[in-house]
Amino acid sequence: MNRVYLVASANMEAKVKEVMDAVAAAGLIAAAYKPCVNGAEAAKELKAHNSAVLMEKIAADFLSQDFDSVDAVVVEGAQGMSDVIAQKYNDSLATALDAKIYSDSEDADLFCPNRLLACSKCLAKDLAAEPAERKTSQAMFRAGLLLKASKAKKRIVLPEGSEPRTVQAAKLVIDRKIAVPVLIGKKDEIFAVAKEQGVTLPADIEIIEPSAELAEKYVPTLVELRKSKGLTEEQARAALADNVMLGTMMLKMGEVDGLVSGAIHSTADTLRPALQVIKCAPGVKSVSSVFFMCMPDKTYIYGDCAINLNPTAEELAGIAMQCDDTAKAFGLPSRVALLSYSTMNSGKGPDADLVREASKLVKEARPEMLVDGPLQYDAATVPSVGSLKAPGSTVAGKATVFVFPSLSAGNIGYKAVQRSAHGTIAIGPMLQGLAKPVNDLSRGALVEDIVYTIALTAVQAG
């Protein structure tokens, strides 16, 4: 499926048939789709300003359909709502599904001018052209992430098992079949917290109660792993008194598939055991991170915004290749821009030289990878600027993955977009480069953040 058309018309049945017939006339195969919400439900959610939730629900249903063997999907838009609500719904739905709107409404161009097909000639012309690369909207990425995680069926250990947000997230993960949460903590304490939060945990939820006896089984392995550092058995027992280390050893031994921590632990507390025990994947020299920047109509990858302070050219090249791997693993297009204050040779200075060297190293290591730099952000994202400043570049003007030259630049950049670009949601950070997935939460994480981090971890483990 590479085309989606959303029909917005008072004469819905006839207009849907018109589009289906036009697709057939172009020698293509079409399927019809009716969203899983009715008009009343949609209007209620839109009036309550829950458009993102509504669109994610529809996107999840859309992804559950079998459209693999069709060329185009024809979607029924709004009918039976007030004009303003109908237009808002159709515009939001077209954004979520990356659809073009086919409408006979006189004012359709007021709310959807950039993707409007207003007549049969426009539709025929669009069908005759090569399909454009489909964008992954915020709704589609989030829904797709949960779908991928649910198919993976991975066991994710949560060392902060009695932390209130973690308990709530575990319940949601179970209810939505996203993964199998394994909570570390005292059972009575976890169920008491759940009761305080108004959460009913299933009786068979998996809870690992830490104890000296349990820790003892991991002591020999931990001592062996840390023998180069002179770790003694007593020191190993002391380290295993910490739930994060205990969970990390469970991951090392293959008893779980991933670990999520950080709601009440610092990044260092989560990452240190992982670096000591899980270590980097073969061929990887350092760990980095990414954020999935989910804008209403597209999803970008930003790295590294959480781990590496001032990476060397070699480290920056490694981050770029890790980001490329992540994009492909999550089904996103990968065109990697190494960012700087300079585009190609327009600026001088050690910082620009470092990015230039990193770009060279990536191209030598992965000749097939679409990467370029140094690029300024506008040259990386805006086609007209990219063609002017970096003519001939395979990335300029159409980058989808952005590698920042330092932690300061990355952290400032992602937060600026997250807080200033309307409707943007940042999912992450997700750690890259470890042999097994471990992910760190912000201590201010919301329950929803924990749920999506668990889903990311499950997909990584898949």
Side-chain angles (χ1 to χ4, degrees):
M1 180 269 297
N2 49 34
R3 289 181 168 92
V4 179
Y5 297 107
L6 189 147
V7 177
S9 174
N11 191 5
M12 185 64 70
E13 187 177 344
K15 275 291 177 181
V16 168
K17 185 178 184 303
E18 186 178 328
V19 178
M20 296 284 284
D21 289 345
V23 174
L28 303 175
I29 301 170
Y33 172 70
K34 186 172 184 177
C36 57
V37 296
N38 59 39
E41 181 184 354
K44 180 181 177 182
E45 293 291 344
L46 290 170
K47 288 177 181 177
H49 304 290
N50 290 333
S51 176
V53 174
L54 175 66
M55 292 305 134
E56 188 175 338
K57 180 178 180 179
I58 295 173
D61 182 66
F62 185 88
L63 288 171
S64 71
Q65 310 298 313
D66 184 12
F67 293 137
D68 291 342
S69 60
V70 303
D71 302 298
V73 179
V74 183
V75 181
E76 288 190 21
Q79 59 177 338
M81 298 190 220
S82 68
D83 287 347
V84 173
I85 294 296
Q87 290 173 7
K88 182 178 180 181
Y89 172 83
N90 286 332
D91 194 33
S92 297
L93 187 56
T95 297
L97 301 183
D98 190 22
K100 293 186 177 178
I101 291 184
Y102 189 59
S103 177
D104 54 10
S105 171
E106 292 181 0
D107 57 357
D109 59 339
L110 296 177
F111 65 91
C112 200
N114 295 324
R115 51 174 173 257
L116 177 67
L117 302 172
C119 67
S120 58
K121 288 183 179 179
C122 295
L123 177 60
K125 183 178 179 181
D126 190 74
L127 286 164
E130 284 294 315
E133 178 181 273
R134 293 190 52 72
K135 295 179 183 177
T136 303
S137 69
Q138 179 184 116
M140 290 293 270
F141 180 77
R142 282 158 63 94
L145 173 60
L146 298 188
L147 181 62
K148 287 184 180 77
S150 66
K151 288 180 177 178
K153 295 181 172 61
K154 296 300 180 180
R155 290 161 48 80
I156 308 301
V157 66
L158 307 173
E160 301 159 326
S162 59
E163 195 280 323
R165 291 163 295 168
T166 302
V167 171
Q168 294 177 65
K171 167 66 171 171
L172 291 173
V173 165
I174 292 169
D175 289 347
R176 299 173 74 173
K177 296 181 173 63
I178 295 168
V180 178
V182 179
L183 303 176
I184 298 181
K186 294 182 179 178
K187 189 170 185 178
D188 290 346
E189 193 175 311
I190 290 171
F191 274 93
V193 169
K195 186 176 180 181
E196 289 173 5
Q197 299 297 315
V199 172
T200 302
L201 294 176
D204 62 348
I205 186 171
E206 191 166 353
I207 295 173
I208 303 296
E209 295 209 27
S211 66
E213 292 75 22
L214 175 63
E216 196 63 32
K217 97 178 209 185
Y218 301 111
V219 168
T221 303
L222 183 55
V223 169
E224 177 64 23
L225 288 168
R226 301 290 291 159
K227 65 181 181 182
S228 65
K229 300 298 182 181
L231 188 77
T232 66
E233 288 190 358
E234 283 307 308
Q235 289 171 329
R237 291 185 185 99
L240 285 161
D242 175 56
N243 286 358
V244 177
M245 178 59 85
L246 183 62
T248 304
M249 286 303 298
M250 291 172 62
L251 179 59
K252 178 66 177 181
M253 303 291 281
E255 297 168 1
V256 294
D257 302 301
L259 181 148
V260 172
S261 182
I264 53 177
H265 287 84
S266 69
T267 295
D269 289 338
T270 297
L271 193 54
R272 189 184 305 109
L275 291 173
Q276 293 174 345
V277 172
I278 304 301
K279 302 183 180 180
C280 291
V284 175
K285 294 183 178 180
S286 61
V287 173
S288 65
S289 72
V290 293
F291 281 89
F292 294 91
M293 302 302 293
C294 301
M295 301 166 194
D297 64 335
K298 57 184 171 284
T299 300
Y300 285 155
I301 286 177
Y302 283 13
D304 173 8
C305 307
I307 302 295
N308 294 282
L309 188 60
N310 289 299
T312 64
E314 185 179 15
E315 289 168 340
L316 202 59
I319 292 168
M321 289 185 280
Q322 289 172 7
C323 289
D324 178 59
D325 292 337
T326 291
K328 292 169 181 173
F330 284 83
L332 297 171
S334 180
R335 292 182 289 274
V336 182
L338 288 157
L339 298 177
S340 175
Y341 60 80
S342 167
T343 292
M344 299 309 183
N345 297 311
S346 67
K348 305 297 180 183
D351 290 346
D353 291 341
L354 182 143
V355 175
R356 195 172 291 112
E357 176 64 16
S359 180
K360 176 186 173 185
L361 291 173
V362 176
K363 290 175 181 177
E364 289 173 352
R366 294 189 181 179
E368 77 288 352
M369 182 172 153
L370 295 178
V371 60
D372 225 337
L375 291 170
Q376 292 163 288
Y377 194 90
D378 59 349
T381 56
V382 182
S384 59
V385 179
S387 62
L388 178 67
K389 290 188 173 184
S393 170
T394 58
V395 172
K398 49 190 175 184
T400 55
V401 178
F402 303 85
V403 178
F404 291 83
S406 68
L407 182 59
S408 287
N411 197 267
I412 291 168
Y414 106 79
K415 285 186 183 293
V417 173
Q418 179 190 25
R419 301 300 182 184
S420 303
H422 179 70
T424 297
I425 295 172
I427 299 178
M430 186 189 85
L431 301 184
Q432 308 175 123
L434 288 167
K436 293 187 177 185
V438 172
N439 282 309
D440 175 48
L441 299 164
S442 163
R443 275 173 280 183
L446 302 175
V447 173
E448 182 183 59
D449 297 329
I450 300 174
V451 170
Y452 280 98
T453 302
I454 292 171
L456 283 176
T457 309
V459 174
Q460 280 184 292

